[in-house]
Amino acid sequence: MKKIWDIGIKLKITIGFTFILIVLIGVQYGLNSSISNVIASQKELLTSTKLSTEIESIKSSVCFFESKVKGYVLTGNDSLLEHNDKYLTNIVQKFSDLKKLSPNAEQIVAIDKLVDLLNEEIQYTDEVMFQYQINPQKSIDLIKFGKGKTLMTTILKEFDRIHTIEEFKYKEILSRNQKDSALVKQMDASAYVFAFLLAVLCVWILFRDINKRERLEKELIITQKKAEEAATIKEQFMANMSHEIRTPLNAIIGFNQRLNKTPLNDEQREYANAVQSSGENLLAIVNDILDFSKIEAGMVKIEKIPFNPSGLLESVITMFLGLAREKQVHLELKIISDLPQLVLGDPTRLTQILINLIGNALKFTHQGSVDLIVRIMDSDEKNVTIQFNVKDTGIGISEEKISEIFDRFTQAKSDTSRIFGGTGLGLSIAKKLVELQSGNINVESVKNQGSVFSFNIPYKIAEEIEEKKKSDNIDKNKQIVLKTNTKVLVVEDNLMNQKLAGFMLKDWGFDFDICSNGKLAVEKLKTHSYNIVLMDIQMPEMNGYEATEFIRTQLKLTLPIIAMTAHALPGEKEKCLSFGMTDYISKPIKENDLRNLITKYLNIDL
């Protein structure tokens, strides 16, 4: 029953109206049948009334005929015999018509008997008339006594018998007519009552569905609020996790890089490299989780800038040459078709996809080769579709796992993560990045023989002249200034990160001051002049957002403020810019990235 009520409102209304229609058709059919019965009984009543009238008329005619004959015999008045033949013929004709009106077999037998008696009466009358001509007294005696009287009595009895039968029949027809009429009234009333009840039922169904819909809408609103709260909690958790992991990672990787610059023996360098590798692996895991979070939140924007695809491919291959040599795996770039010099697209996202796919290929290939094969799939004067194939001779993927390989947190085997590391997000991220660029990706693999990951991305062909002009303008407008007297304010609450930033700035020859929170930074800026501020976000007393907003709105300072944050969630960069920060760099901070940002905004060379 619950399943019946769970069907859609439109189907309910359709079923309801169909049911109403069928019932009303049935009621109308019964009503029409009853009305037909009433009409038929009315016709029978009319026929019965006409039959009774005719019987009385014939009876009167017979009695009148007999009285005329008697009157003639008693008075001798010849005028009483005028038109007697026609009169008798008319009576006989009426008897014939009477048989047509009476469908009752008993009545027909009585009418036939009455006709025979009438014929006897006619013969008797002829005899009386004949005797009257010979002996009038004898004919008078025949009328008063004898056969005439008996015959007339019998005729009258038969008339009464026919009339009695007809009267009984009339009462029966009348009773049936009354029943049919009452049934018509009942069915008519029932039709109205039933239609009203069904209308009430339909209205009730509608109101029930409306109430159910309103209840579901309220539940949906509550669920949506809970989902939004859960998303906020998730975002806050991710932000805290990012901050808590990236902050110590920044110190670990940063100090380890500085350690690698100092004189070390072979064993010490091996230890330092192990720390660096572990730190970078942990950072890669955090980055995968945060990248996936950004994609899920729809915060990844695909750029349309000119870049050289061939140069990008060579750079990506160069990045992995050291790892390939270390694993003794042959790594090669094969460009089958001549690629355009410049295309409009997102080189960063293409690099990220290739790094994911080539990194996976090298991870799961212990011997043989990894090839990056690139060809043009389709092109015209303005557009080109490039196919990228990453082919390896690694462990391959089982057939039942191929359909799931691009799902998040999915790997070819349950122990893959334990043996090879990783989160199982890389391929999912690669797939989503390809689709964001209007491309598609697929995989072919044979277990223990290798895999081929292929993806296509359409690009617009860029004009080389425009790119050259752009680079010329940049070179022309760039002014080189000395780094002397450049002063930097570092706002950072973590002691290790303060020291790391200080070491970097000292190596580059900058003067710098360090503050442990935003409030102290504001006080410093009130009394000191700086060329640039490196601002952490999460700090006690006054965080980076509040400090930047105060600097812009209250102190009215326009110097560059670079956000240095362990938060790397969707929208974090946009949030920093909305509070007035100039740019954004996420922890762990790479020395080259920070140096490039400082030189960009201070127009200096380091």
Side-chain angles (χ1 to χ4, degrees), residues 10-30:
K10 290 183 179 178
L11 186 56
K12 285 180 185 176
I13 293 173
T14 303
I15 292 172
F17 276 108
T18 303
F19 182 66
I20 290 171
L21 187 62
I22 291 170
V23 170
L24 289 179
I25 288 172
V27 171
Q28 190 63 40
Y29 177 79

Side-chain angles (χ1 to χ4, degrees), residues 322-356:
L323 179 59
R325 288 194 201 97
E326 185 182 326
K327 296 193 69 173
Q328 297 183 349
V329 173
H330 179 71
L331 177 63
E332 186 177 355
L333 169 64
K334 298 178 181 179
I335 301 178
I336 307 300
S337 312
D338 290 334
L339 301 179
Q341 185 66 23
L342 289 173
V343 295
L344 286 174
D346 194 327
T348 304
R349 298 307 174 189
L350 176 58
T351 301
Q352 190 175 354
I353 296 164
L354 291 171
I355 287 173
N356 263 321

Side-chain angles (χ1 to χ4, degrees), residues 267-313:
E267 186 178 1
Q268 290 170 333
R269 191 164 298 282
E270 185 178 349
Y271 296 158
N273 288 339
V275 172
Q276 189 71 23
S277 176
S278 297
E280 288 175 354
N281 284 340
L282 180 57
L283 180 61
I285 291 170
V286 174
N287 285 340
D288 275 353
I289 294 171
L290 294 176
D291 279 344
F292 191 80
S293 180
K294 287 179 184 177
I295 292 169
E296 289 280 285
M299 296 299 294
V300 174
K301 294 180 180 177
I302 301 301
E303 292 184 319
K304 295 288 184 182
I305 60 173
F307 71 95
N308 184 338
S310 299
L312 182 145
L313 295 170

Side-chain angles (χ1 to χ4, degrees), residues 391-432:
K391 182 179 180 182
D392 66 62
T393 57
I395 61 174
I397 306 166
S398 60
E399 188 175 348
E400 62 271 13
K401 283 288 183 179
I402 286 181
S403 61
E404 305 172 3
I405 201 66
F406 291 109
D407 294 345
R408 56 184 178 179
F409 306 114
T410 299
Q411 294 186 329
K413 293 165 67 177
S414 59
D415 60 352
T416 298
S417 180
R418 187 175 69 251
I419 297 171
F420 296 99
T423 59
L425 285 174
L427 290 176
S428 179
I429 291 169
K431 181 176 186 292
K432 289 181 180 294

Side-chain angles (χ1 to χ4, degrees), residues 78-94:
D78 292 337
S79 63
L80 293 174
L81 297 178
E82 290 179 2
H83 309 300
N84 269 3
D85 292 339
K86 289 182 180 181
Y87 201 72
L88 286 173
T89 304
N90 186 39
I91 291 172
V92 172
Q93 184 61 43
K94 282 184 177 181

Side-chain angles (χ1 to χ4, degrees), residues 213-258:
R213 189 184 295 267
E214 287 176 350
R215 188 176 69 253
L216 289 174
E217 285 175 356
K218 288 177 182 177
E219 289 175 0
L220 182 62
I221 290 169
I222 293 169
T223 305
Q224 188 175 355
K225 285 181 179 178
K226 288 182 179 179
E228 289 171 356
E229 288 171 4
T232 303
I233 293 168
K234 174 189 170 185
E235 186 175 346
Q236 189 60 45
F237 170 76
M238 294 292 287
N240 291 338
M241 185 198 75
S242 172
H243 183 271
E244 296 304 322
I245 294 176
R246 283 173 176 272
T247 297
L249 263 182
N250 186 56
I252 293 168
I253 294 174
F255 279 109
N256 196 69
Q257 287 175 343
R258 297 194 65 77

